Amino acid sequence: MNIKKHFTVSNAISALMVLFILAMVAFPSFKGTVMQQLLKTGLFSPDVSGSDGGKPLTGFLPAETASIQFKDPQGRIVSLGDQRGKVVFLNFWATWCPPCIAEMPSIQQFYDRFGDDEQVVFLLVDVDNKRAGAEKFMHKHSLTLPVYTPAGPVPDTYMGGSIPTTLVLNKYGQVVLKHEGMGDYSNPKFYAFITELINE
């Protein structure tokens, strides 16, 4: 039997593809790294043009918004309703979620740009409610994002089971952007959108 006949370029490519797929399935961090490269294409930027310049989205009840609560990094209860007068960036994520891993560097860049602005609140909510694991993840990836956890039920309109899910609320507590799936939050259009909301 001639082994050389069976070792072709096509077989080698097929083997590499199988290894690539196995790595994507077995290692969420590897999949996250691949997705980070996809983010750089600009195809996954949140559609701020569809938000109509900060116009409130329908389907979000003010009473529901006011009652949503989270625990901050110190364990204190933070109510979404108490953030009026500030622009809120609310991101639901998990440490095992490759798209969440992929978008974190762009969120970090966004945080580096606006984190010191007292008019912007960052709520990075670990949906697994495992603060220690989430903070370990942040440290491992050299991220300085504040980890929040749910302190009560979150309405399906905010997070219907798909993560990552990101929402932006204006200074009136109204949801003006909802983006499901990974997104690039370090792009100039998103920065301009947030700046516009700050200056309302």
Side-chain angles (χ1 to χ4, degrees), residues 65-84:
T65 301
S67 65
I68 300 173
Q69 295 183 328
F70 306 104
K71 285 185 182 178
D72 73 5
Q74 288 73 42
R76 297 173 298 214
I77 300 296
V78 174
S79 172
L80 203 52
D82 291 340
Q83 306 311 310
R84 293 278 182 101

Side-chain angles (χ1 to χ4, degrees), residues 43-197:
L43 297 174
F44 298 92
S45 296
D47 185 12
V48 293
S49 63
S51 63
D52 197 18
K55 183 178 178 183
L57 302 181
T58 58
F60 295 90
L61 302 177
E64 278 186 334
T65 301
S67 65
I68 300 173
Q69 295 183 328
F70 306 104
K71 285 185 182 178
D72 73 5
Q74 288 73 42
R76 297 173 298 214
I77 300 296
V78 174
S79 172
L80 203 52
D82 291 340
Q83 306 311 310
R84 293 278 182 101
K86 299 179 180 179
V87 176
V88 178
F89 178 85
L90 174 59
N91 177 270
F92 295 99
W93 69 288
T95 59
W96 47 263
C97 161
C100 302
I101 295 168
E103 70 177 4
M104 280 296 171
S106 77
I107 295 176
Q108 180 67 56
Q109 289 179 48
F110 172 46
Y111 182 74
D112 291 344
R113 175 82 176 264
F114 290 93
D116 290 332
D117 192 321
E118 294 182 356
Q119 296 185 77
V120 183
V121 175
F122 287 81
L123 301 174
L124 281 292
V125 181
D126 171 33
V127 297
D128 286 335
N129 210 353
K130 296 179 179 177
R131 179 178 302 283
E135 289 179 346
K136 183 178 178 181
F137 170 91
M138 292 293 184
H139 181 73
K140 178 182 176 182
H141 295 278
S142 300
L143 302 169
T144 58
L145 301 166
V147 175
Y148 287 74
T149 54
V154 177
D156 288 344
T157 48
Y158 278 77
M159 191 194 65
S162 174
I163 57 170
T165 293
T166 300
L167 300 100
V168 174
L169 284 71
N170 65 16
K171 291 182 176 181
Y172 307 101
Q174 301 163 320
V175 176
V176 293
L177 177 74
K178 181 176 181 180
H179 182 81
E180 293 179 308
M182 66 179 182
D184 178 9
Y185 299 99
S186 63
N187 70 77
K189 286 185 179 179
F190 187 70
Y191 286 177
F193 174 68
I194 296 297
T195 300
E196 184 180 341
L197 294 176

Side-chain angles (χ1 to χ4, degrees), residues 24-54:
M24 291 279 282
V25 172
F27 303 104
S29 59
F30 175 75
K31 188 174 182 180
T33 301
V34 171
M35 290 181 164
Q36 280 178 14
Q37 300 309 310
L38 288 174
L39 274 178
K40 293 177 181 178
T41 65
L43 297 174
F44 298 92
S45 296
D47 185 12
V48 293
S49 63
S51 63
D52 197 18

